[in-house]
Amino acid sequence: YEEEGRWKEANLELERALSFDGGSPELHARRGRVLIQLDQLGQAEKEITASLGIETTVDGLQAQADLRAARGDAAGALASYQRAAGLVSFADNAMEAETVYLGLAEMQIVTLDVATAEATLRRLCGQDRRSLAGRLRLAATAWAQGDMAAAEAHFKDAVAVEPSSLEGL
């Protein structure tokens, strides 16, 4: 349902799943993120609070970051992503770690800390040699800071990772 943007159906499905496993922090966090899409921020906050009350997980912290961002609290979203970055492991779950680092860098850019975002993206690309999204965003941060040579080098790195990347090309 989520892939198709059918948020109401996704919410109902997660509600059913929670009736069987109400102690799952991941299900509460996921439902919280779906409720954000439905613009039900109060209910989303309850689900995210329940998630983090059960256990502090990367999913819960990402949901908390999404809620804070939806409410216009970029600094709070940044803090949530910073906590999540402390929990992820590239060795254990590279995809999850990439998602967290991309979110962290995005919030750093939103809070106008492009230099720190660039450092975050460099850490991501250093840990995950296959991160196309990391390389593309790293090129964008170099470009935004006026470093065209670095931007071009990062775009070339992106094409080396994924030769058919239209964004990189």
Side-chain angles (χ1 to χ4, degrees):
Y1 295 126
E2 291 175 59
E3 289 176 10
E4 297 171 4
R6 295 169 53 193
W7 303 112
K8 289 181 181 178
E9 291 92 340
N11 181 43
L12 292 172
E13 189 68 23
L14 286 165
E15 192 173 21
R16 279 190 289 275
L18 281 165
S19 71
F20 294 106
D21 189 7
S24 169
E26 290 83 4
L27 284 176
H28 283 286
R30 190 164 191 157
R31 183 162 185 241
R33 292 179 102 173
V34 167
L35 289 164
I36 292 167
Q37 294 297 318
L38 291 169
D39 200 28
Q40 295 179 19
L41 302 185
Q43 187 61 34
E45 182 175 14
K46 289 177 185 175
E47 290 294 339
I48 294 164
T49 299
S51 172
L52 293 171
I54 296 166
E55 181 182 354
T56 300
T57 65
V58 172
D59 290 335
L61 291 168
Q62 286 180 295
Q64 183 182 60
D66 289 348
L67 177 63
R68 288 174 170 177
R71 289 182 166 161
D73 180 8
L78 176 60
S80 296
Y81 271 116
Q82 288 169 329
R83 286 183 64 201
L87 296 178
V88 296
S89 165
F90 284 93
D92 294 337
N93 191 337
M95 190 179 334
E96 177 181 66
E98 179 186 41
T99 300
V100 168
Y101 271 73
L102 291 172
L104 175 58
E106 181 180 332
M107 282 300 111
Q108 290 165 331
I109 290 169
V110 167
T111 59
L112 303 177
D113 192 355
V114 178
T116 303
E118 182 179 23
T120 297
L121 292 166
R122 285 185 185 282
R123 279 193 310 272
L124 165 60
C125 293
Q127 291 290 320
D128 185 355
R129 298 275 181 213
R130 304 290 306 159
S131 177
L132 175 63
R135 281 168 174 63
L136 292 172
R137 286 186 177 92
L138 193 53
T141 59
W143 173 81
Q145 296 178 86
D147 190 346
M148 297 307 139
E152 183 177 0
H154 295 310
F155 280 127
K156 286 180 180 179
D157 286 345
V159 171
V161 167
E162 182 55 57
S164 62
S165 166
L166 295 178
E167 296 91 349
L169 292 170

